[in-house]
Amino acid sequence: MADIIGEISKEDFVKGYALNIQKKEAAIFVGAGTSMPSGNLSWMELIKPLADALQININSYNDLVDITQYFLNDQAGNRNFINDRILDSISDQQHDNKTLQAIAELPVSTFWTTNYDHLLEKYLEKSGRKVDTKRNDASLTNSIRGRDATVFKMHGDKDDVNDTVITRDDFMSYDEKHPNMSTALRGDFINKTFLFIGYSFNDPNLNYILGKVKRTNTTNRRRHFCIVKRIQKNDPIYQDNDQKFQQDEVLQKYKVADLNGYGIKTVFVDSYDEIPSILQDIKLKSLCNNVFISGSIEDYKDFDKSSADKLIFKLAYSLVEKNFKVISGFGLGVGDNVINGALQAIDDSDHRSLDDNLSLFPFPMADTNERTDEIRARWAKYRNKIISESGICLFLFGNKKTVDGKTVLADGMMEEFEIAKSMNKFIIPVGFTKSVAQKLWDKFNHELPNYLNPKDFQKLEKITEISEKSINESVQTILKLIEQLNPQNS
């Protein structure tokens, strides 16, 4: 299908949603499809025993909510079998669910879900988040102190199975029975950009949510996103059935256009296995406003101390001036100037805040009772924490002195490089500062990553004459490379 109204490219989606995360205006809506890799059922699989009992062919019936309602009517309003079906079909076993893991690792704090299981909450907790779960209207009035993730379970929870939303009557009376949850959802639709993951076009939950979106604002809706698997002829369900493939392909085209009418852009994938990788790209891109400066100096080599201090100060100042967040681990000879430059920029502006523009991670002091390997393990864990919060890692200088006064490469900086590389961070070594930075520049110049502009990167090789002018020019070159990676500028 070509030129589908409402389709957006993966690249534009990643940039757009990452920008919303940076602005703290992002939310995620999680559907049943995200729990299926952990062994849970799709809506159709969940409802099938009810349809079988009613002698309805579920494959030829589109409205699954009708089936649950018919079954409840047939049971004279007794939900016992439906409740047992929900409980029997739900597992909280995680089973290496890469999609939920990637969702939990996104720097997003607001999550909505129609799932009854606890998998989303478990993955958020596993990723180190403090989760506040809202299971009903009553839970909305209290909040957990220090929370950094809120999960709204708008259709209930397996722990209160009798109050789950599953029949047509449940959907139709939702606003009346859950007014506060409805109000919270409408508010988030106005204030945040949602990403829908795990919903099929036949999911009754999605259809209900779309009704909420439409009623939120009829003329000036926010743009939202939905990830959908593209209809493919090689899918086993279309084997020897060209007519069904053609019909579903056309139907998908019109459904995507319909979503567009609600302000929801569709991102197509050929396989659900692509989703974790896309979410990881979003995470990395969204963190490109956070710049970690790795560096240590004891031997200034071509620089004198004054020039080196000036370079680091101006770099930190300029980053904050451009509204980046500077992250520092207090590297010897570097950390003080990073902090002073960032603080000066914050002080010089009426629109900068300390929390938004500077994050400090002083290394924990070594306990004298710890063995060397224990100290290294503590510092490695700490470095992983620091670098995980950044999107771009700058490497400056990088040397230290041994106990006998010999200048050597800073092994801590090399470790930080390896960590940044393993996390797929954007790395920019400032080669002209020598030591580890030069070693990394040589390595990168040999096989330049595609995110570095060759013309600008070459300017980081050397400075022929260290002066006020050359330092200012070098800072501008570094800023240019960094700004090219930020979704606000791409």
Side-chain angles (χ1 to χ4, degrees), residues 293-349:
I293 299 179
S294 172
S296 66
I297 322 171
E298 283 203 73
D299 184 346
Y300 288 86
K301 295 189 180 296
D302 295 344
F303 278 81
D304 58 72
K305 185 179 185 304
S306 175
S307 297
D309 290 349
K310 190 174 295 184
L311 171 70
I312 300 164
F313 179 95
K314 288 194 172 184
L315 180 57
Y317 185 99
S318 299
L319 284 168
V320 171
E321 189 178 38
K322 294 285 188 179
N323 210 26
F324 286 92
K325 184 174 188 175
V326 174
I327 300 175
S328 172
F330 278 88
L332 183 66
V334 173
D336 287 348
N337 290 298
V338 168
I339 295 165
N340 290 336
L343 289 176
Q344 187 65 56
I346 293 169
D347 190 53
D348 288 347
S349 173

Short mmCIF file of all heavy atoms in Angstrom, two decimals, residues 293-349:
data_model
loop_
_atom_site.label_atom_id
_atom_site.label_comp_id
_atom_site.label_asym_id
_atom_site.label_seq_id
_atom_site.Cartn_x
_atom_site.Cartn_y
_atom_site.Cartn_z
N ILE A 293 29.80 14.71 30.21
CA ILE A 293 31.18 15.12 29.91
C ILE A 293 32.13 14.25 30.70
O ILE A 293 32.19 14.33 31.94
CB ILE A 293 31.40 16.61 30.22
CG1 ILE A 293 30.46 17.48 29.37
CG2 ILE A 293 32.85 17.00 29.97
CD1 ILE A 293 30.59 18.97 29.62
N SER A 294 32.84 13.40 30.00
CA SER A 294 33.81 12.50 30.62
C SER A 294 35.20 13.07 30.42
O SER A 294 35.60 13.40 29.30
CB SER A 294 33.72 11.11 29.98
OG SER A 294 34.76 10.26 30.43
N GLY A 295 35.95 13.19 31.51
CA GLY A 295 37.30 13.74 31.36
C GLY A 295 38.07 13.75 32.67
O GLY A 295 37.48 13.78 33.75
N SER A 296 39.37 13.71 32.54
CA SER A 296 40.24 13.87 33.71
C SER A 296 41.58 14.40 33.21
O SER A 296 42.03 14.04 32.12
CB SER A 296 40.43 12.55 34.45
OG SER A 296 41.14 11.62 33.65
N ILE A 297 42.20 15.28 34.00
CA ILE A 297 43.49 15.87 33.60
C ILE A 297 44.43 15.96 34.79
O ILE A 297 44.06 16.51 35.84
CB ILE A 297 43.34 17.31 33.04
CG1 ILE A 297 42.09 17.49 32.19
CG2 ILE A 297 44.58 17.71 32.27
CD1 ILE A 297 41.81 18.93 31.81
N GLU A 298 45.60 15.46 34.61
CA GLU A 298 46.70 15.77 35.54
C GLU A 298 47.91 16.30 34.76
O GLU A 298 48.71 17.06 35.28
CB GLU A 298 47.08 14.55 36.36
CG GLU A 298 46.10 14.26 37.48
CD GLU A 298 46.71 13.46 38.60
OE1 GLU A 298 47.51 14.03 39.36
OE2 GLU A 298 46.38 12.26 38.69
N ASP A 299 48.00 15.91 33.50
CA ASP A 299 49.07 16.41 32.62
C ASP A 299 48.38 17.16 31.47
O ASP A 299 47.68 16.56 30.66
CB ASP A 299 49.90 15.24 32.09
CG ASP A 299 51.08 15.69 31.25
OD1 ASP A 299 51.11 16.87 30.85
OD2 ASP A 299 51.96 14.86 30.98
N TYR A 300 48.60 18.46 31.37
CA TYR A 300 47.87 19.29 30.40
C TYR A 300 48.48 19.24 29.00
O TYR A 300 47.91 19.77 28.06
CB TYR A 300 47.80 20.74 30.90
CG TYR A 300 46.84 20.89 32.05
CD1 TYR A 300 47.26 20.65 33.36
CD2 TYR A 300 45.52 21.22 31.83
CE1 TYR A 300 46.37 20.76 34.42
CE2 TYR A 300 44.62 21.34 32.89
CZ TYR A 300 45.05 21.10 34.18
OH TYR A 300 44.16 21.21 35.22
N LYS A 301 49.62 18.64 28.81
CA LYS A 301 50.27 18.45 27.51
C LYS A 301 50.32 19.76 26.73
O LYS A 301 50.92 20.74 27.16
CB LYS A 301 49.58 17.33 26.74
CG LYS A 301 49.71 15.96 27.42
CD LYS A 301 49.23 14.85 26.58
CE LYS A 301 49.39 13.51 27.29
NZ LYS A 301 50.78 13.15 27.56
N ASP A 302 49.66 19.82 25.55
CA ASP A 302 49.73 21.02 24.70
C ASP A 302 48.99 22.21 25.31
O ASP A 302 49.17 23.35 24.89
CB ASP A 302 49.16 20.72 23.31
CG ASP A 302 49.99 19.70 22.56
OD1 ASP A 302 51.14 19.46 22.97
OD2 ASP A 302 49.49 19.13 21.57
N PHE A 303 48.11 21.92 26.25
CA PHE A 303 47.35 22.99 26.90
C PHE A 303 48.09 23.46 28.14
O PHE A 303 48.78 22.68 28.80
CB PHE A 303 45.97 22.49 27.32
CG PHE A 303 44.95 22.48 26.22
CD1 PHE A 303 44.91 21.44 25.29
CD2 PHE A 303 44.02 23.50 26.10
CE1 PHE A 303 43.97 21.43 24.28
CE2 PHE A 303 43.06 23.49 25.09
CZ PHE A 303 43.04 22.45 24.18
N ASP A 304 47.89 24.72 28.49
CA ASP A 304 48.24 25.12 29.84
C ASP A 304 46.95 25.05 30.65
O ASP A 304 45.85 24.96 30.11
CB ASP A 304 48.83 26.53 29.86
CG ASP A 304 47.88 27.57 29.28
OD1 ASP A 304 46.87 27.88 29.94
OD2 ASP A 304 48.15 28.04 28.15
N LYS A 305 47.08 25.07 31.97
CA LYS A 305 45.90 24.87 32.81
C LYS A 305 44.83 25.92 32.54
O LYS A 305 43.63 25.61 32.48
CB LYS A 305 46.30 24.91 34.29
CG LYS A 305 45.15 24.59 35.24
CD LYS A 305 45.61 24.62 36.67
CE LYS A 305 44.49 24.17 37.61
NZ LYS A 305 43.26 24.96 37.45
N SER A 306 45.24 27.16 32.34
CA SER A 306 44.28 28.24 32.11
C SER A 306 43.46 27.99 30.85
O SER A 306 42.24 28.18 30.84
CB SER A 306 45.02 29.57 32.00
OG SER A 306 44.14 30.61 31.67
N SER A 307 44.12 27.56 29.76
CA SER A 307 43.41 27.31 28.50
C SER A 307 42.46 26.13 28.62
O SER A 307 41.34 26.15 28.09
CB SER A 307 44.42 27.07 27.38
OG SER A 307 45.22 28.20 27.17
N ALA A 308 42.92 25.09 29.31
CA ALA A 308 42.05 23.91 29.49
C ALA A 308 40.83 24.27 30.32
O ALA A 308 39.69 23.88 30.00
CB ALA A 308 42.84 22.79 30.16
N ASP A 309 41.04 25.02 31.39
CA ASP A 309 39.91 25.45 32.23
C ASP A 309 38.91 26.27 31.41
O ASP A 309 37.70 26.11 31.54
CB ASP A 309 40.43 26.31 33.40
CG ASP A 309 41.20 25.50 34.42
OD1 ASP A 309 41.17 24.26 34.35
OD2 ASP A 309 41.85 26.12 35.29
N LYS A 310 39.46 27.14 30.58
CA LYS A 310 38.60 28.02 29.77
C LYS A 310 37.78 27.20 28.77
O LYS A 310 36.58 27.45 28.56
CB LYS A 310 39.47 29.04 29.04
CG LYS A 310 38.68 30.15 28.35
CD LYS A 310 39.63 31.20 27.78
CE LYS A 310 40.40 31.92 28.88
NZ LYS A 310 41.25 33.00 28.34
N LEU A 311 38.39 26.20 28.13
CA LEU A 311 37.69 25.34 27.17
C LEU A 311 36.53 24.62 27.83
O LEU A 311 35.40 24.62 27.31
CB LEU A 311 38.67 24.33 26.57
CG LEU A 311 38.04 23.22 25.71
CD1 LEU A 311 37.50 23.79 24.41
CD2 LEU A 311 39.06 22.12 25.43
N ILE A 312 36.79 24.00 28.97
CA ILE A 312 35.75 23.21 29.65
C ILE A 312 34.64 24.12 30.17
O ILE A 312 33.45 23.81 30.03
CB ILE A 312 36.39 22.40 30.80
CG1 ILE A 312 37.45 21.45 30.25
CG2 ILE A 312 35.32 21.61 31.55
CD1 ILE A 312 38.39 20.91 31.31
N PHE A 313 35.02 25.26 30.75
CA PHE A 313 34.03 26.21 31.26
C PHE A 313 33.11 26.69 30.14
O PHE A 313 31.87 26.69 30.27
CB PHE A 313 34.75 27.40 31.90
CG PHE A 313 33.83 28.46 32.45
CD1 PHE A 313 33.45 28.46 33.78
CD2 PHE A 313 33.34 29.48 31.62
CE1 PHE A 313 32.60 29.44 34.28
CE2 PHE A 313 32.49 30.46 32.11
CZ PHE A 313 32.13 30.44 33.45
N LYS A 314 33.70 27.10 29.02
CA LYS A 314 32.90 27.64 27.91
C LYS A 314 32.02 26.56 27.29
O LYS A 314 30.89 26.84 26.86
CB LYS A 314 33.82 28.25 26.85
CG LYS A 314 34.44 29.56 27.29
CD LYS A 314 35.05 30.31 26.12
CE LYS A 314 35.50 31.71 26.56
NZ LYS A 314 36.02 32.52 25.44
N LEU A 315 32.51 25.34 27.25
CA LEU A 315 31.71 24.25 26.69
C LEU A 315 30.48 24.00 27.55
O LEU A 315 29.35 23.91 27.04
CB LEU A 315 32.56 22.98 26.59
CG LEU A 315 31.87 21.73 26.03
CD1 LEU A 315 31.31 21.99 24.64
CD2 LEU A 315 32.85 20.57 26.01
N ALA A 316 30.68 23.90 28.87
CA ALA A 316 29.55 23.68 29.77
C ALA A 316 28.59 24.86 29.73
O ALA A 316 27.36 24.68 29.72
CB ALA A 316 30.05 23.44 31.19
N TYR A 317 29.14 26.07 29.73
CA TYR A 317 28.30 27.27 29.67
C TYR A 317 27.44 27.27 28.40
O TYR A 317 26.23 27.53 28.46
CB TYR A 317 29.19 28.52 29.70
CG TYR A 317 28.43 29.83 29.76
CD1 TYR A 317 28.25 30.48 30.97
CD2 TYR A 317 27.88 30.40 28.61
CE1 TYR A 317 27.55 31.68 31.04
CE2 TYR A 317 27.18 31.59 28.65
CZ TYR A 317 27.01 32.22 29.87
OH TYR A 317 26.31 33.41 29.92
N SER A 318 28.07 26.99 27.28
CA SER A 318 27.36 27.04 25.99
C SER A 318 26.28 25.96 25.90
O SER A 318 25.22 26.18 25.32
CB SER A 318 28.35 26.89 24.84
OG SER A 318 29.31 27.93 24.85
N LEU A 319 26.55 24.79 26.47
CA LEU A 319 25.55 23.72 26.46
C LEU A 319 24.30 24.13 27.23
O LEU A 319 23.17 23.96 26.75
CB LEU A 319 26.14 22.44 27.05
CG LEU A 319 27.11 21.66 26.16
CD1 LEU A 319 27.85 20.59 26.95
CD2 LEU A 319 26.38 21.03 24.98
N VAL A 320 24.49 24.66 28.41
CA VAL A 320 23.34 25.10 29.20
C VAL A 320 22.64 26.28 28.53
O VAL A 320 21.40 26.36 28.52
CB VAL A 320 23.78 25.48 30.63
CG1 VAL A 320 22.64 26.14 31.40
CG2 VAL A 320 24.27 24.24 31.37
N GLU A 321 23.42 27.17 27.93
CA GLU A 321 22.85 28.31 27.22
C GLU A 321 21.92 27.84 26.10
O GLU A 321 20.90 28.47 25.81
CB GLU A 321 23.97 29.18 26.65
CG GLU A 321 23.51 30.50 26.08
CD GLU A 321 24.67 31.34 25.57
OE1 GLU A 321 25.63 30.76 25.00
OE2 GLU A 321 24.62 32.56 25.74
N LYS A 322 22.27 26.69 25.49
CA LYS A 322 21.45 26.11 24.42
C LYS A 322 20.36 25.19 24.98
O LYS A 322 19.69 24.48 24.24
CB LYS A 322 22.34 25.30 23.47
CG LYS A 322 23.34 26.13 22.68
CD LYS A 322 22.68 26.91 21.57
CE LYS A 322 23.72 27.58 20.67
NZ LYS A 322 23.08 28.33 19.57
N ASN A 323 20.22 25.20 26.31
CA ASN A 323 19.20 24.46 27.02
C ASN A 323 19.44 22.95 27.04
O ASN A 323 18.50 22.16 27.13
CB ASN A 323 17.79 24.75 26.48
CG ASN A 323 16.75 24.62 27.58
OD1 ASN A 323 17.06 24.79 28.76
ND2 ASN A 323 15.53 24.31 27.20
N PHE A 324 20.69 22.52 26.95
CA PHE A 324 21.03 21.13 27.19
C PHE A 324 21.22 20.91 28.68
O PHE A 324 21.47 21.84 29.44
CB PHE A 324 22.33 20.76 26.44
CG PHE A 324 22.16 20.62 24.96
CD1 PHE A 324 22.38 21.70 24.12
CD2 PHE A 324 21.78 19.41 24.41
CE1 PHE A 324 22.23 21.57 22.75
CE2 PHE A 324 21.63 19.27 23.04
CZ PHE A 324 21.85 20.35 22.20
N LYS A 325 21.12 19.67 29.09
CA LYS A 325 21.41 19.30 30.46
C LYS A 325 22.81 18.71 30.51
O LYS A 325 23.12 17.75 29.79
CB LYS A 325 20.40 18.28 30.99
CG LYS A 325 20.60 17.93 32.46
CD LYS A 325 19.47 17.03 32.96
CE LYS A 325 19.55 16.83 34.45
NZ LYS A 325 18.38 16.07 34.98
N VAL A 326 23.66 19.25 31.35
CA VAL A 326 25.03 18.79 31.49
C VAL A 326 25.12 17.81 32.65
O VAL A 326 24.63 18.08 33.75
CB VAL A 326 25.99 19.98 31.73
CG1 VAL A 326 27.39 19.47 32.03
CG2 VAL A 326 25.99 20.90 30.52
N ILE A 327 25.73 16.66 32.38
CA ILE A 327 25.91 15.63 33.40
C ILE A 327 27.40 15.48 33.68
O ILE A 327 28.20 15.32 32.76
CB ILE A 327 25.31 14.28 32.94
CG1 ILE A 327 23.81 14.43 32.68
CG2 ILE A 327 25.56 13.20 33.97
CD1 ILE A 327 23.15 13.19 32.10
N SER A 328 27.77 15.54 34.95
CA SER A 328 29.18 15.49 35.32
C SER A 328 29.42 14.48 36.43
O SER A 328 28.62 14.36 37.36
CB SER A 328 29.67 16.87 35.79
OG SER A 328 30.97 16.79 36.32
N GLY A 329 30.55 13.78 36.31
CA GLY A 329 30.96 12.85 37.35
C GLY A 329 32.13 13.36 38.16
O GLY A 329 32.81 12.57 38.82
N PHE A 330 32.39 14.67 38.09
CA PHE A 330 33.45 15.30 38.88
C PHE A 330 34.84 14.76 38.51
O PHE A 330 35.67 14.49 39.39
CB PHE A 330 33.22 15.10 40.38
CG PHE A 330 32.26 16.06 41.00
CD1 PHE A 330 30.91 15.79 41.00
CD2 PHE A 330 32.69 17.25 41.55
CE1 PHE A 330 30.00 16.66 41.56
CE2 PHE A 330 31.79 18.14 42.13
CZ PHE A 330 30.44 17.85 42.13
N GLY A 331 35.12 14.59 37.22
CA GLY A 331 36.44 14.12 36.81
C GLY A 331 37.53 15.09 37.24
O GLY A 331 37.34 16.32 37.19
N LEU A 332 38.68 14.56 37.64
CA LEU A 332 39.78 15.38 38.13
C LEU A 332 40.21 16.40 37.09
O LEU A 332 40.50 16.07 35.95
CB LEU A 332 40.97 14.48 38.49
CG LEU A 332 42.19 15.18 39.09
CD1 LEU A 332 41.84 15.76 40.45
CD2 LEU A 332 43.37 14.20 39.18
N GLY A 333 40.24 17.68 37.47
CA GLY A 333 40.68 18.75 36.57
C GLY A 333 39.62 19.17 35.57
O GLY A 333 39.81 20.15 34.84
N VAL A 334 38.51 18.46 35.52
CA VAL A 334 37.44 18.75 34.55
C VAL A 334 36.15 19.12 35.26
O VAL A 334 35.49 20.11 34.92
CB VAL A 334 37.20 17.54 33.61
CG1 VAL A 334 35.97 17.78 32.72
CG2 VAL A 334 38.43 17.28 32.76
N GLY A 335 35.79 18.35 36.28
CA GLY A 335 34.49 18.50 36.93
C GLY A 335 34.21 19.89 37.46
O GLY A 335 33.11 20.43 37.27
N ASP A 336 35.20 20.51 38.11
CA ASP A 336 34.98 21.84 38.68
C ASP A 336 34.60 22.86 37.61
O ASP A 336 33.70 23.69 37.81
CB ASP A 336 36.24 22.32 39.41
CG ASP A 336 36.46 21.58 40.72
OD1 ASP A 336 35.53 20.87 41.14
OD2 ASP A 336 37.56 21.69 41.29
N ASN A 337 35.28 22.79 36.48
CA ASN A 337 34.99 23.76 35.40
C ASN A 337 33.67 23.48 34.71
O ASN A 337 32.99 24.41 34.25
CB ASN A 337 36.14 23.75 34.39
CG ASN A 337 37.41 24.36 34.96
OD1 ASN A 337 37.44 25.53 35.32
ND2 ASN A 337 38.46 23.56 35.06
N VAL A 338 33.30 22.20 34.61
CA VAL A 338 31.98 21.86 34.07
C VAL A 338 30.89 22.46 34.96
O VAL A 338 29.95 23.10 34.48
CB VAL A 338 31.80 20.32 34.00
CG1 VAL A 338 30.34 19.97 33.72
CG2 VAL A 338 32.70 19.73 32.92
N ILE A 339 31.04 22.28 36.25
CA ILE A 339 30.04 22.79 37.20
C ILE A 339 29.99 24.31 37.18
O ILE A 339 28.92 24.92 37.10
CB ILE A 339 30.36 22.29 38.62
CG1 ILE A 339 30.23 20.77 38.68
CG2 ILE A 339 29.44 22.93 39.65
CD1 ILE A 339 30.85 20.14 39.90
N ASN A 340 31.15 24.95 37.21
CA ASN A 340 31.19 26.41 37.22
C ASN A 340 30.60 27.00 35.94
O ASN A 340 29.85 28.00 35.99
CB ASN A 340 32.63 26.89 37.39
CG ASN A 340 33.17 26.61 38.78
OD1 ASN A 340 32.40 26.48 39.72
ND2 ASN A 340 34.49 26.51 38.90
N GLY A 341 30.91 26.40 34.79
CA GLY A 341 30.36 26.90 33.53
C GLY A 341 28.86 26.75 33.47
O GLY A 341 28.14 27.67 33.05
N ALA A 342 28.35 25.58 33.90
CA ALA A 342 26.90 25.34 33.88
C ALA A 342 26.19 26.28 34.85
O ALA A 342 25.15 26.88 34.51
CB ALA A 342 26.62 23.88 34.23
N LEU A 343 26.72 26.42 36.04
CA LEU A 343 26.08 27.29 37.03
C LEU A 343 26.06 28.75 36.59
O LEU A 343 25.09 29.47 36.83
CB LEU A 343 26.78 27.16 38.38
CG LEU A 343 26.59 25.82 39.13
CD1 LEU A 343 27.43 25.79 40.39
CD2 LEU A 343 25.11 25.60 39.45
N GLN A 344 27.15 29.19 35.93
CA GLN A 344 27.19 30.57 35.45
C GLN A 344 26.12 30.81 34.40
O GLN A 344 25.45 31.85 34.39
CB GLN A 344 28.57 30.89 34.87
CG GLN A 344 28.77 32.35 34.49
CD GLN A 344 28.71 33.26 35.69
OE1 GLN A 344 29.46 33.09 36.65
NE2 GLN A 344 27.81 34.25 35.66
N ALA A 345 25.94 29.84 33.50
CA ALA A 345 24.91 29.97 32.46
C ALA A 345 23.52 29.99 33.06
O ALA A 345 22.64 30.75 32.62
CB ALA A 345 25.04 28.83 31.45
N ILE A 346 23.29 29.16 34.08
CA ILE A 346 22.00 29.14 34.76
C ILE A 346 21.75 30.48 35.44
O ILE A 346 20.65 31.05 35.38
CB ILE A 346 21.94 27.98 35.78
CG1 ILE A 346 21.95 26.63 35.06
CG2 ILE A 346 20.71 28.09 36.67
CD1 ILE A 346 22.16 25.44 35.97
N ASP A 347 22.79 31.01 36.07
CA ASP A 347 22.68 32.28 36.78
C ASP A 347 22.44 33.45 35.83
O ASP A 347 21.75 34.42 36.16
CB ASP A 347 23.95 32.52 37.60
CG ASP A 347 23.81 33.70 38.55
OD1 ASP A 347 22.83 33.71 39.33
OD2 ASP A 347 24.67 34.60 38.51
N ASP A 348 23.01 33.34 34.62
CA ASP A 348 22.88 34.43 33.64
C ASP A 348 21.53 34.44 32.93
O ASP A 348 21.23 35.36 32.18
CB ASP A 348 23.99 34.34 32.59
CG ASP A 348 25.36 34.73 33.15
OD1 ASP A 348 25.39 35.30 34.26
OD2 ASP A 348 26.37 34.45 32.49
N SER A 349 20.74 33.41 33.13
CA SER A 349 19.46 33.31 32.43
C SER A 349 18.31 33.27 33.43
O SER A 349 18.41 32.67 34.50
CB SER A 349 19.42 32.05 31.56
OG SER A 349 18.14 31.86 31.01
#
